Amino acid sequence: MEQRYDLVIVGAGPAGMTAAIYGSRAGLNTAMLEMGAPGGKLIKTNEISNWPGIIGTNGANLASDMFAHSTAFGAEYLYGNVTKIEDGEEYKKIICEDGTIYEAKAVIVATGTNERMMNIPGEAENIGRGVSFCAVCDGAFFRNKEVCVIGGGNSALEEANYLTQMVDKVNIIIRRDVFRADEIVQEQVKKNPKINIITKHVPVKVIDDGTRVTGLVIRNVDTNEETTMDTNGIFPYIGLDPSTSFLEGLAVLDERGYMVVDENCETAVKGIYGAGDVVAKKLRQVVTATSDGAIAAQHAFHQIKGI
Ligand code: NDP
């Protein structure tokens, strides 16, 4: 027997949680499905310094406050690993891995992005044994050690800065000789005495001793010369891919897999919305995610109520 709602939100990051606040506060019978902990990328982020009204806060604290808010007006929080969404006349079907099916008049997809892997030998088998995609979660395991951060975007540089609170040295490895991160973050990194910047190199192989990571082979992109670095921790921050494989049957994705939406955050399929980092757009931030969540839920409310 399917469970019916006015609005089902897939993903409980900042976009999904904001949509839950707006949907339930407007009186929609709302459920939010999440397959992990609520908070999305927030719970993997140490410092948030661009959330208006709070000069500096911790990602986990902001996530916890948002979660309490998201369920305060009656939205249900449910476990669900969504594998497929089907369009329907009045109701969309949201199908979960365990066979549970939800039906909703509107669906807001706010599933965000997943960290991109380096796809080099030794990487996959050493996740949890030295290769980590979350400095906030795993940084403490490398206290007084030397680690490598791969990438030159905001994520890499912010997390490299964070890691210096516990490790002895962070090597940031970038493939060009310029960073992609915001200037303010670059300045912090350049001033940090514990950070060593290695330009024009790419990672080619993770070395281990059978139980944990012991090194990383990097290649100079100009000379092709390879160097082995001694390191116990490798943090790849080389970009993100949208978490949208369950939408492949619907014509709502661009060529990179991001959701294409209009100014109401609605896709080409009426009643199916995208919000937050999963959407094709330029600025992926907590504020832009929450904005999308509000817009999508408000428009869904208008559509459901025929306003
Ligand atoms: P980005 O795409 O911004 O940066 C990825 C980095 O990894 C680049 O330096 C890129 O190099 C490098 N890279 C990509 N592929 C490879 C590879 N195969 N081998 C080696 N290096 C590689 O990703 P982020 O995760 O940093 O950020 C994603 C989005 O989230 C961005 O829009 C960012 O601004 C935003 N963000 C904002 C934050 C904030 O405002 N506080 C915090 C974190 C993220 P190259 O430059 O040469 O392409």
Side-chain angles (χ1 to χ4, degrees), residues 45 47-50 113 116-118 150-159 173-176 178-182 185 201-203 237-240 277 281-286:
T45 307
E47 203 192 330
I48 308 281
S49 54
N50 49 6
T113 51
R116 199 172 287 156
M117 289 184 68
M118 299 181 289
I150 321 298
N154 278 324
S155 303
L157 269 53
E158 287 183 3
E159 300 315 313
I173 297 159
I174 56 172
R175 61 184 175 182
R176 295 186 291 153
V178 288
F179 290 115
R180 190 180 279 269
D182 296 343
V185 192
H201 279 77
V202 288
Y237 281 107
I238 59 168
L240 305 160
D277 286 3
K281 60 177 174 179
K282 291 223 167 77
L283 189 61
R284 294 194 170 83
Q285 304 271 295
V286 185

Side-chain angles (χ1 to χ4, degrees), residues 118 120-123 125-126 129-131 203-218 226-234:
M118 299 181 289
I120 58 173
E123 179 186 30
E125 55 269 43
N126 281 305
R129 305 196 312 175
V131 174
V204 288
K205 189 178 178 189
V206 175
I207 317 268
D208 65 66
D209 65 4
T211 57
R212 66 188 178 103
V213 168
T214 55
L216 176 68
V217 182
I218 56 172
E226 293 193 353
T227 312
T228 301
M229 303 180 65
D230 291 335
T231 187
N232 296 116
I234 300 168

Side-chain angles (χ1 to χ4, degrees), residues 50-62:
N50 49 6
W51 177 249
I54 309 176
I55 293 167
T57 185
N58 170 285
N61 289 344
L62 187 57

